[in-house]
Amino acid sequence: MPAGFHVEERPRRGLLIAGPVILGVPYVLGLTVASSENFPNSTGWLAVPALGPWITLAARHRSNSTCTSSFDTTCSGDSIDTAVDSTTRTFLILDGLTQGAGTILLIYGLASPKKVVTRDFVGSLHLAPARIGRDGYGGFVTGVF
């Protein structure tokens, strides 16, 4: 280590910004959508960050559809429910993966600070009253860096 320098540990600022953003955006979106529909079909679990989408996915009940085709005239719209259920499950999986990635980034950013070589501060500042002009007073700053 050169003279006048020392090693400091600093948090990983990029991860500490990206992690909460990647965790928070899908969390807030999922919670907003579920709350606007009054939390149907076990979506109340979306209030739990990172694990909520996975718990919701496991706790949901599937629609019982007997339709084999959307052109089947004996079906009463159950195929639409199945398509919506499939789409909802897909979004829950994407939500869970994204929130999980954000959580991992946040934890890694907190748990592993980086080492940085920093210059020692050897300077000093002094503030003293000083006369300014013929009748004025103010402050005078001197320093060594």
Side-chain angles (χ1 to χ4, degrees), residues 4-23:
F5 290 88
H6 67 280
V7 176
E8 284 184 1
E9 286 190 356
R10 294 186 181 167
R12 297 181 182 270
R13 194 176 333 168
L15 295 176
L16 292 179
I17 293 169
V21 169
I22 293 173
L23 170 65

Side-chain angles (χ1 to χ4, degrees), residues 3-43:
F5 290 88
H6 67 280
V7 176
E8 284 184 1
E9 286 190 356
R10 294 186 181 167
R12 297 181 182 270
R13 194 176 333 168
L15 295 176
L16 292 179
I17 293 169
V21 169
I22 293 173
L23 170 65
V25 169
Y27 172 74
V28 169
L29 286 174
L31 196 58
T32 302
V33 169
S35 67
S36 70
E37 296 177 5
N38 205 18
F39 296 103
N41 200 1
S42 301
T43 55

Side-chain angles (χ1 to χ4, degrees), residues 77-118:
D78 287 341
S79 61
I80 294 173
D81 291 341
T82 303
V84 168
D85 188 55
S86 232
T87 303
T88 302
R89 288 180 180 277
T90 301
F91 279 115
L92 283 171
I93 291 169
L94 291 174
D95 189 21
L97 290 173
T98 308
Q99 286 187 35
T103 303
I104 290 169
L105 289 175
L106 177 61
I107 290 171
Y108 184 70
L110 290 171
S112 63
K114 63 181 175 180
K115 294 183 180 185
V116 178
V117 177
T118 307

